[in-house]
Amino acid sequence: MKVLVIGSGAREHALCRSLSLDSDVTALHCAPGNAGIAEVAELHQVDALDGGAVAALALELGADLVVVGPEAPLVAGVADAVREAGIPVFGPSAEAARIEGSKAFAKDVMAGAGVPTARSYVCTNAEEVAEALDAFGAPYVVKDDGLAAGKGVVVTDDLDAAKAHAAACERVVIEEFLDGPEVSLFAITDGETVLPLQPAQDFKRALNGDEGPNTGGMGAYSPLPWADPKLADEVLETVLQPTVDEMRRRGTPFSGLLYAGLAITSRGVRVIEFNARFGDPETQVVLARLKTPLAGVLLAAAVGTLGDLPPLRWRDEAAVTVVVASHNYPDTPRTGDPITGLDEIAAVDAPHAYVLHAGTRRVGDDVVSAGGRVLSVTATGQDLTQARERAYTAVARIGLDGSQHRTDIAAKAAAEAAEQGAQGA
């Protein structure tokens, strides 16, 4: 089949990489793409938020499947325009994508579906904000109701900082703080059947030890050796299937990728948020472990035949991804700096470690930085310890002036898994 992927980040590079390895994919296109995606797909210039332009490109290319990567085009209705053109598309309608586009809408869906989540208030003025913050107490959790590229949430003990974040947003959701580790669980759905993928954990804070400001994500790993092996089954039963059923009941069926951000609290699993697309950087590690060819699964979700597929197959390997970010990220990042070491990683570390491009572009013979998160260095190994070693060995080969990365991605989980293994032996 001919596949067109929409987007330009490391998530889209991960999708394109998996699709390029699928023998059923005869032609792979990406719009607008980046310097790394250009190595596995043919790039096209398009306004990713213009549904008519995306649909016209898909028709021109004779695409059999369109995969919409980022949230903004989904919320803008790009998937609707492609569907109306008669082309199968992996991604929810604009109406269904509101589950990410509005935190308040998501809370309403969760209430209707009986999904366990944090208690919350929707606030539109300073008085309501003050009352809600007082009701819950510290730590304060303040979420911009709309899309904010993963940076719309503030968790703080500082009441003034919480109020300042709320004041900067038109509408906010203020909710109780959920204790316990966080887990990302993706599910592919056609609106009825729900296929959970393997869980992952990402690292939102910019600095080691979960310090510093919130980012779009500085790294991730999978599997989670500390999590209950039945976690995915439990979340399917209590969260994912009820949510998909509720969306269908409301007349806004959700097909595509439903992403549940979860807290494993002392009182059980609670939903922190839903997203309407693959998460970045978790996609990088989840797809690294998926053995089932990707294109057929995405097409089945797009055309409503997911229930006919055999169970997904997974590699036993662990995967770790480390994000290399540009100088000054997550504030105003510096761009245009040349990147070195990419050819060396391809020559020396492949196939166990490889680089997925996020904010890059090609200038002549050089690849230069073009965003805040620049690269996702991804590696697999027989366990998290080996995957970490391979990822950080590859990171060390990269030259990017002023760049930054966390050095503790998956460190705690790897140490715990090694200890468990030693005790088991």
Side-chain angles (χ1 to χ4, degrees), residues 370-392:
R373 291 186 296 171
V374 181
L375 305 167
S376 280
V377 181
T378 305
T380 55
Q382 61 187 13
D383 54 25
L384 285 174
T385 298
Q386 188 179 50
R388 284 191 84 244
E389 286 170 358
R390 287 172 170 172
Y392 280 108

PDB file of all heavy atoms in Angstrom, residues 370-392:
ATOM      1  N   ALA A 370      16.445  22.599  14.181  1.00  0.00           N
ATOM      2  CA  ALA A 370      15.339  23.438  13.703  1.00  0.00           C
ATOM      3  C   ALA A 370      14.182  23.451  14.697  1.00  0.00           C
ATOM      4  O   ALA A 370      13.046  23.731  14.330  1.00  0.00           O
ATOM      5  CB  ALA A 370      14.851  22.920  12.347  1.00  0.00           C
ATOM      6  N   GLY A 371      14.486  23.147  15.962  1.00  0.00           N
ATOM      7  CA  GLY A 371      13.424  23.133  16.970  1.00  0.00           C
ATOM      8  C   GLY A 371      13.998  22.938  18.349  1.00  0.00           C
ATOM      9  O   GLY A 371      15.226  22.913  18.533  1.00  0.00           O
ATOM     10  N   GLY A 372      13.114  22.788  19.336  1.00  0.00           N
ATOM     11  CA  GLY A 372      13.548  22.614  20.722  1.00  0.00           C
ATOM     12  C   GLY A 372      14.076  21.222  20.995  1.00  0.00           C
ATOM     13  O   GLY A 372      15.221  21.032  21.410  1.00  0.00           O
ATOM     14  N   ARG A 373      13.221  20.210  20.741  1.00  0.00           N
ATOM     15  CA  ARG A 373      13.691  18.827  20.817  1.00  0.00           C
ATOM     16  C   ARG A 373      14.227  18.477  19.432  1.00  0.00           C
ATOM     17  O   ARG A 373      13.485  18.525  18.451  1.00  0.00           O
ATOM     18  CB  ARG A 373      12.554  17.896  21.243  1.00  0.00           C
ATOM     19  CG  ARG A 373      12.137  18.119  22.695  1.00  0.00           C
ATOM     20  CD  ARG A 373      11.124  17.110  23.162  1.00  0.00           C
ATOM     21  NE  ARG A 373       9.867  17.211  22.441  1.00  0.00           N
ATOM     22  CZ  ARG A 373       8.871  16.325  22.550  1.00  0.00           C
ATOM     23  NH1 ARG A 373       8.995  15.281  23.347  1.00  0.00           N
ATOM     24  NH2 ARG A 373       7.754  16.476  21.878  1.00  0.00           N
ATOM     25  N   VAL A 374      15.503  18.140  19.358  1.00  0.00           N
ATOM     26  CA  VAL A 374      16.167  18.004  18.058  1.00  0.00           C
ATOM     27  C   VAL A 374      16.223  16.552  17.592  1.00  0.00           C
ATOM     28  O   VAL A 374      15.912  16.241  16.440  1.00  0.00           O
ATOM     29  CB  VAL A 374      17.582  18.615  18.115  1.00  0.00           C
ATOM     30  CG1 VAL A 374      18.279  18.517  16.764  1.00  0.00           C
ATOM     31  CG2 VAL A 374      17.513  20.077  18.552  1.00  0.00           C
ATOM     32  N   LEU A 375      16.622  15.651  18.476  1.00  0.00           N
ATOM     33  CA  LEU A 375      16.798  14.238  18.124  1.00  0.00           C
ATOM     34  C   LEU A 375      16.261  13.345  19.244  1.00  0.00           C
ATOM     35  O   LEU A 375      16.305  13.718  20.422  1.00  0.00           O
ATOM     36  CB  LEU A 375      18.282  13.909  17.920  1.00  0.00           C
ATOM     37  CG  LEU A 375      19.066  14.750  16.915  1.00  0.00           C
ATOM     38  CD1 LEU A 375      20.562  14.502  17.068  1.00  0.00           C
ATOM     39  CD2 LEU A 375      18.624  14.440  15.480  1.00  0.00           C
ATOM     40  N   SER A 376      15.794  12.153  18.871  1.00  0.00           N
ATOM     41  CA  SER A 376      15.491  11.094  19.838  1.00  0.00           C
ATOM     42  C   SER A 376      16.429   9.939  19.526  1.00  0.00           C
ATOM     43  O   SER A 376      16.279   9.279  18.498  1.00  0.00           O
ATOM     44  CB  SER A 376      14.047  10.610  19.701  1.00  0.00           C
ATOM     45  OG  SER A 376      13.147  11.464  20.335  1.00  0.00           O
ATOM     46  N   VAL A 377      17.398   9.711  20.406  1.00  0.00           N
ATOM     47  CA  VAL A 377      18.334   8.598  20.196  1.00  0.00           C
ATOM     48  C   VAL A 377      17.731   7.366  20.853  1.00  0.00           C
ATOM     49  O   VAL A 377      17.515   7.338  22.071  1.00  0.00           O
ATOM     50  CB  VAL A 377      19.712   8.920  20.786  1.00  0.00           C
ATOM     51  CG1 VAL A 377      20.668   7.768  20.549  1.00  0.00           C
ATOM     52  CG2 VAL A 377      20.262  10.208  20.151  1.00  0.00           C
ATOM     53  N   THR A 378      17.418   6.364  20.044  1.00  0.00           N
ATOM     54  CA  THR A 378      16.659   5.197  20.499  1.00  0.00           C
ATOM     55  C   THR A 378      17.519   3.943  20.394  1.00  0.00           C
ATOM     56  O   THR A 378      18.238   3.768  19.405  1.00  0.00           O
ATOM     57  CB  THR A 378      15.386   5.042  19.649  1.00  0.00           C
ATOM     58  OG1 THR A 378      14.648   6.270  19.702  1.00  0.00           O
ATOM     59  CG2 THR A 378      14.509   3.912  20.143  1.00  0.00           C
ATOM     60  N   ALA A 379      17.436   3.090  21.401  1.00  0.00           N
ATOM     61  CA  ALA A 379      18.218   1.854  21.389  1.00  0.00           C
ATOM     62  C   ALA A 379      17.418   0.721  22.011  1.00  0.00           C
ATOM     63  O   ALA A 379      16.574   0.932  22.887  1.00  0.00           O
ATOM     64  CB  ALA A 379      19.531   2.041  22.146  1.00  0.00           C
ATOM     65  N   THR A 380      17.705  -0.488  21.554  1.00  0.00           N
ATOM     66  CA  THR A 380      17.103  -1.690  22.124  1.00  0.00           C
ATOM     67  C   THR A 380      18.195  -2.555  22.741  1.00  0.00           C
ATOM     68  O   THR A 380      19.376  -2.419  22.398  1.00  0.00           O
ATOM     69  CB  THR A 380      16.354  -2.503  21.054  1.00  0.00           C
ATOM     70  OG1 THR A 380      17.262  -2.790  19.975  1.00  0.00           O
ATOM     71  CG2 THR A 380      15.166  -1.725  20.506  1.00  0.00           C
ATOM     72  N   GLY A 381      17.800  -3.436  23.638  1.00  0.00           N
ATOM     73  CA  GLY A 381      18.761  -4.334  24.273  1.00  0.00           C
ATOM     74  C   GLY A 381      18.029  -5.467  24.958  1.00  0.00           C
ATOM     75  O   GLY A 381      16.795  -5.453  25.058  1.00  0.00           O
ATOM     76  N   GLN A 382      18.780  -6.443  25.450  1.00  0.00           N
ATOM     77  CA  GLN A 382      18.131  -7.591  26.087  1.00  0.00           C
ATOM     78  C   GLN A 382      17.432  -7.190  27.386  1.00  0.00           C
ATOM     79  O   GLN A 382      16.526  -7.876  27.848  1.00  0.00           O
ATOM     80  CB  GLN A 382      19.141  -8.700  26.354  1.00  0.00           C
ATOM     81  CG  GLN A 382      20.277  -8.301  27.301  1.00  0.00           C
ATOM     82  CD  GLN A 382      21.345  -9.377  27.410  1.00  0.00           C
ATOM     83  OE1 GLN A 382      21.368 -10.311  26.612  1.00  0.00           O
ATOM     84  NE2 GLN A 382      22.210  -9.269  28.408  1.00  0.00           N
ATOM     85  N   ASP A 383      17.864  -6.077  27.981  1.00  0.00           N
ATOM     86  CA  ASP A 383      17.188  -5.515  29.150  1.00  0.00           C
ATOM     87  C   ASP A 383      17.396  -3.997  29.139  1.00  0.00           C
ATOM     88  O   ASP A 383      18.070  -3.454  28.260  1.00  0.00           O
ATOM     89  CB  ASP A 383      17.714  -6.147  30.447  1.00  0.00           C
ATOM     90  CG  ASP A 383      19.229  -6.053  30.598  1.00  0.00           C
ATOM     91  OD1 ASP A 383      19.837  -5.129  29.986  1.00  0.00           O
ATOM     92  OD2 ASP A 383      19.830  -6.875  31.307  1.00  0.00           O
ATOM     93  N   LEU A 384      16.806  -3.319  30.121  1.00  0.00           N
ATOM     94  CA  LEU A 384      16.900  -1.854  30.150  1.00  0.00           C
ATOM     95  C   LEU A 384      18.331  -1.375  30.329  1.00  0.00           C
ATOM     96  O   LEU A 384      18.720  -0.341  29.784  1.00  0.00           O
ATOM     97  CB  LEU A 384      16.021  -1.290  31.270  1.00  0.00           C
ATOM     98  CG  LEU A 384      14.512  -1.296  31.014  1.00  0.00           C
ATOM     99  CD1 LEU A 384      13.759  -0.848  32.267  1.00  0.00           C
ATOM    100  CD2 LEU A 384      14.160  -0.398  29.833  1.00  0.00           C
ATOM    101  N   THR A 385      19.130  -2.124  31.085  1.00  0.00           N
ATOM    102  CA  THR A 385      20.529  -1.730  31.302  1.00  0.00           C
ATOM    103  C   THR A 385      21.288  -1.680  29.987  1.00  0.00           C
ATOM    104  O   THR A 385      21.982  -0.692  29.690  1.00  0.00           O
ATOM    105  CB  THR A 385      21.219  -2.709  32.285  1.00  0.00           C
ATOM    106  OG1 THR A 385      20.537  -2.634  33.547  1.00  0.00           O
ATOM    107  CG2 THR A 385      22.682  -2.344  32.481  1.00  0.00           C
ATOM    108  N   GLN A 386      21.147  -2.734  29.188  1.00  0.00           N
ATOM    109  CA  GLN A 386      21.843  -2.759  27.896  1.00  0.00           C
ATOM    110  C   GLN A 386      21.277  -1.710  26.935  1.00  0.00           C
ATOM    111  O   GLN A 386      22.040  -1.032  26.224  1.00  0.00           O
ATOM    112  CB  GLN A 386      21.738  -4.144  27.259  1.00  0.00           C
ATOM    113  CG  GLN A 386      22.602  -4.284  26.005  1.00  0.00           C
ATOM    114  CD  GLN A 386      22.522  -5.665  25.388  1.00  0.00           C
ATOM    115  OE1 GLN A 386      21.438  -6.200  25.164  1.00  0.00           O
ATOM    116  NE2 GLN A 386      23.682  -6.255  25.112  1.00  0.00           N
ATOM    117  N   ALA A 387      19.959  -1.538  26.931  1.00  0.00           N
ATOM    118  CA  ALA A 387      19.359  -0.533  26.047  1.00  0.00           C
ATOM    119  C   ALA A 387      19.830   0.875  26.428  1.00  0.00           C
ATOM    120  O   ALA A 387      20.135   1.699  25.558  1.00  0.00           O
ATOM    121  CB  ALA A 387      17.833  -0.623  26.120  1.00  0.00           C
ATOM    122  N   ARG A 388      19.927   1.153  27.727  1.00  0.00           N
ATOM    123  CA  ARG A 388      20.432   2.460  28.191  1.00  0.00           C
ATOM    124  C   ARG A 388      21.873   2.687  27.743  1.00  0.00           C
ATOM    125  O   ARG A 388      22.223   3.752  27.238  1.00  0.00           O
ATOM    126  CB  ARG A 388      20.412   2.551  29.728  1.00  0.00           C
ATOM    127  CG  ARG A 388      19.097   2.780  30.361  1.00  0.00           C
ATOM    128  CD  ARG A 388      19.266   3.111  31.853  1.00  0.00           C
ATOM    129  NE  ARG A 388      19.556   4.522  32.011  1.00  0.00           N
ATOM    130  CZ  ARG A 388      20.684   5.015  32.492  1.00  0.00           C
ATOM    131  NH1 ARG A 388      21.665   4.221  32.873  1.00  0.00           N
ATOM    132  NH2 ARG A 388      20.846   6.330  32.591  1.00  0.00           N
ATOM    133  N   GLU A 389      22.698   1.672  27.955  1.00  0.00           N
ATOM    134  CA  GLU A 389      24.114   1.794  27.585  1.00  0.00           C
ATOM    135  C   GLU A 389      24.247   2.114  26.097  1.00  0.00           C
ATOM    136  O   GLU A 389      25.032   2.978  25.699  1.00  0.00           O
ATOM    137  CB  GLU A 389      24.866   0.500  27.923  1.00  0.00           C
ATOM    138  CG  GLU A 389      25.113   0.312  29.422  1.00  0.00           C
ATOM    139  CD  GLU A 389      25.632  -1.083  29.758  1.00  0.00           C
ATOM    140  OE1 GLU A 389      25.756  -1.923  28.823  1.00  0.00           O
ATOM    141  OE2 GLU A 389      25.888  -1.350  30.952  1.00  0.00           O
ATOM    142  N   ARG A 390      23.497   1.397  25.283  1.00  0.00           N
ATOM    143  CA  ARG A 390      23.569   1.616  23.832  1.00  0.00           C
ATOM    144  C   ARG A 390      23.059   3.001  23.455  1.00  0.00           C
ATOM    145  O   ARG A 390      23.638   3.669  22.580  1.00  0.00           O
ATOM    146  CB  ARG A 390      22.763   0.531  23.114  1.00  0.00           C
ATOM    147  CG  ARG A 390      23.450  -0.835  23.120  1.00  0.00           C
ATOM    148  CD  ARG A 390      22.547  -1.931  22.581  1.00  0.00           C
ATOM    149  NE  ARG A 390      23.291  -3.174  22.363  1.00  0.00           N
ATOM    150  CZ  ARG A 390      22.727  -4.326  22.043  1.00  0.00           C
ATOM    151  NH1 ARG A 390      21.396  -4.404  21.882  1.00  0.00           N
ATOM    152  NH2 ARG A 390      23.460  -5.412  21.846  1.00  0.00           N
ATOM    153  N   ALA A 391      21.989   3.440  24.104  1.00  0.00           N
ATOM    154  CA  ALA A 391      21.446   4.766  23.785  1.00  0.00           C
ATOM    155  C   ALA A 391      22.440   5.864  24.148  1.00  0.00           C
ATOM    156  O   ALA A 391      22.707   6.771  23.342  1.00  0.00           O
ATOM    157  CB  ALA A 391      20.120   4.979  24.521  1.00  0.00           C
ATOM    158  N   TYR A 392      23.022   5.775  25.342  1.00  0.00           N
ATOM    159  CA  TYR A 392      23.931   6.840  25.779  1.00  0.00           C
ATOM    160  C   TYR A 392      25.287   6.787  25.065  1.00  0.00           C
ATOM    161  O   TYR A 392      25.928   7.821  24.874  1.00  0.00           O
ATOM    162  CB  TYR A 392      24.096   6.812  27.303  1.00  0.00           C
ATOM    163  CG  TYR A 392      22.932   7.475  28.008  1.00  0.00           C
ATOM    164  CD1 TYR A 392      21.997   6.731  28.712  1.00  0.00           C
ATOM    165  CD2 TYR A 392      22.756   8.853  27.929  1.00  0.00           C
ATOM    166  CE1 TYR A 392      20.913   7.339  29.337  1.00  0.00           C
ATOM    167  CE2 TYR A 392      21.674   9.478  28.547  1.00  0.00           C
ATOM    168  CZ  TYR A 392      20.763   8.713  29.246  1.00  0.00           C
ATOM    169  OH  TYR A 392      19.692   9.332  29.847  1.00  0.00           O
TER     170      TYR A 392
END
